[in-house]
Amino acid sequence: MADQAVPPKAEVVKNATNLRELSLSGHVGFDSLPEQLVNKSITQGFAFNILCVGETGLGKSTLMDTLFNTQFDSTPSTHFIREVGVKAHTYDLQESSVRLKLTVVDSVGFADQINKDNSVAPIVEYIDKQYEAYLQSLDLVTMKKLDSKVNIIPVVAKSDTITKAELQRFKAKIMSELAQNGVQIYYFPTDDETVSSLNQDMNGHLPFAVVGSTDEVKVGNKMMKARQYPWGTVQVENENHCDFVKLREMLLRTNMQDLIDTTHKKHYELYRRVRLSDMGFTDSDGKTLQETYELKREAHVSEMQSKEEEMRQMFVQRVKEKETELKEAERELHNKFDSLKRQHADDRKRLEDSKKQLEMEMTEFQKKKAFADQQHSSSTTTLSKHKKGK
């Protein structure tokens, strides 16, 4: 969880060695904060939000200018706005070396309507949205995404920056927010009788308020890890100062094996079931992973065989169709060949008939020619004889 940088109130701080009360000689205020927090605040600056609600023309802008001794940019509003609006303006101010990021939230059109019953509703809605935005912080979002994967133990860091009373209220607020947002944190187990009472008591201390330090300070005759402040010393391993010892005891000595077992049996098993479910496996039917795998493999083999048979039937059907097409083409070729053969025979017969006819005509022609030659020869002989007789 994020730490809260709230200025501490004056408290009595006791020295671990002689339980001597530390008397404060002067005012305990901003200057009593740890030096590193002071430097950090001055370097980063402060952030302050102020909501100013009032009727139009009442002097809200003038009041803000007077409060912060500056002239803010503001546009006067009319009295004819139908709905109440909320506008936020952020300004960067600086006095001496201290910077302030100021957000002024102004109510526009407040109480300018005839029916003023709903004038406050937009303002309440705006405040609720700001609280909700704070509630849904990075810590909550992160824990909500991680609580199903790891063991979450909430811790308040730098717990020495707030008083004990404020710390208890802050712890209660954290646990309330975690419960309201459905974040499942890790509670120390109470089913083992040997640690049941201790773990139950430690669950009541969640979230642990811790202080960390690598610096060693001499307390009495011992060197201890501690943080040294102008108002006293915070000992890391002193249970009156923080919960570091409780956290270490719970993590490393009492519940380490349960943390390991919970990670494996709960978080890893949940992850495994989700991943197997995404892959088509499930443990919900009571079967082991091997049995589920075998069933899945058999179903896969059966499906592949079914697809193979379907492809074989399709192949056979295509072959039959192709054979039918080839046979039909062969039949057509045979018919065409027979047709050509008959046509060839007919053409050959016609040629032979034509040849015979031509031979007969040639024979007849030869006969006629021979007869004509004979007649011509006979006529020539007769004519010759007649000339000689003259």
Side-chain angles (χ1 to χ4, degrees), residues 66-310:
T66 306
L67 276 176
F68 295 97
N69 193 26
T70 187
Q71 187 73 32
F72 296 116
D73 296 331
S74 60
T75 303
S77 301
T78 66
H79 290 274
F80 303 100
I81 299 177
R82 295 183 178 181
E83 296 181 354
V84 178
V86 179
K87 293 183 178 180
H89 302 277
T90 302
Y91 307 94
D92 292 321
L93 306 179
Q94 183 168 347
E95 286 188 8
S96 300
S97 60
V98 180
R99 293 185 300 168
L100 174 66
K101 185 177 183 179
L102 175 67
T103 300
V104 178
V105 183
D106 187 17
S107 58
V108 180
F110 180 78
D112 287 341
Q113 297 77 28
I114 297 177
N115 184 1
K116 299 178 174 57
D117 294 339
N118 295 326
S119 295
V120 72
I123 300 174
V124 174
E125 181 181 358
Y126 174 82
I127 296 174
D128 288 342
K129 286 182 179 179
Q130 304 309 307
Y131 283 154
E132 184 65 21
Y134 173 77
L135 181 65
Q136 300 296 335
S137 63
L138 180 61
D139 292 335
L140 285 176
V141 172
T142 302
M143 286 190 288
K144 287 181 70 173
K145 290 187 177 295
L146 293 180
D147 62 358
S148 62
K149 301 180 183 297
V150 295
N151 301 315
I152 293 181
I153 300 177
V155 174
V156 179
K158 298 182 180 179
S159 61
D160 54 329
T161 61
I162 56 179
T163 66
K164 289 185 177 180
E166 291 170 339
L167 180 60
Q168 293 305 316
R169 291 195 295 269
F170 188 46
K171 282 187 173 185
K173 181 180 179 182
I174 291 173
M175 298 302 290
S176 175
E177 289 182 359
L178 293 177
Q180 291 177 7
N181 286 271
V183 178
Q184 301 297 322
I185 67 173
Y186 172 81
Y187 285 99
F188 304 114
T190 57
D191 51 352
D192 187 348
E193 295 181 357
T194 59
V195 294
S196 175
S197 178
L198 175 62
N199 282 350
Q200 186 172 1
D201 180 59
M202 290 298 103
N203 285 332
H205 287 276
L206 293 174
F208 290 127
V210 298
V211 176
S213 176
T214 57
D215 299 330
E216 292 190 349
V217 177
K218 188 174 183 180
V219 180
N221 296 325
K222 295 182 179 180
M223 297 297 294
M224 295 184 175
K225 288 183 171 62
R227 298 185 72 89
Q228 187 73 48
Y229 298 130
W231 43 264
T233 301
V234 176
Q235 301 171 24
V236 173
E237 298 185 3
N238 189 330
E239 294 191 48
N240 293 322
H241 293 184
C242 70
D243 297 332
F244 175 81
V245 174
K246 296 183 178 66
L247 176 63
R248 184 177 60 187
E249 177 75 16
M250 291 296 100
L251 287 181
L252 305 182
R253 182 175 299 177
T254 308
N255 298 292
M256 177 182 285
Q257 188 58 46
D258 184 75
L259 286 164
I260 296 172
D261 293 341
T262 302
T263 300
H264 178 75
K265 295 178 181 179
K266 178 182 177 182
H267 301 302
Y268 171 72
E269 285 300 315
L270 175 61
Y271 175 81
R272 185 184 69 88
R273 285 196 300 270
V274 172
R275 292 290 293 125
L276 292 177
S277 178
D278 294 340
M279 297 168 61
F281 299 98
T282 178
D283 293 340
S284 59
D285 52 4
K287 296 182 176 61
T288 64
L289 179 60
Q290 183 65 27
E291 292 173 341
T292 305
Y293 171 77
E294 290 296 333
L295 291 174
K296 195 72 177 177
R297 188 184 68 83
E298 291 176 2
H300 178 71
V301 171
S302 176
E303 182 181 0
M304 293 300 295
Q305 290 177 346
S306 176
K307 289 184 177 180
E308 184 179 356
E309 178 63 21
E310 181 180 352

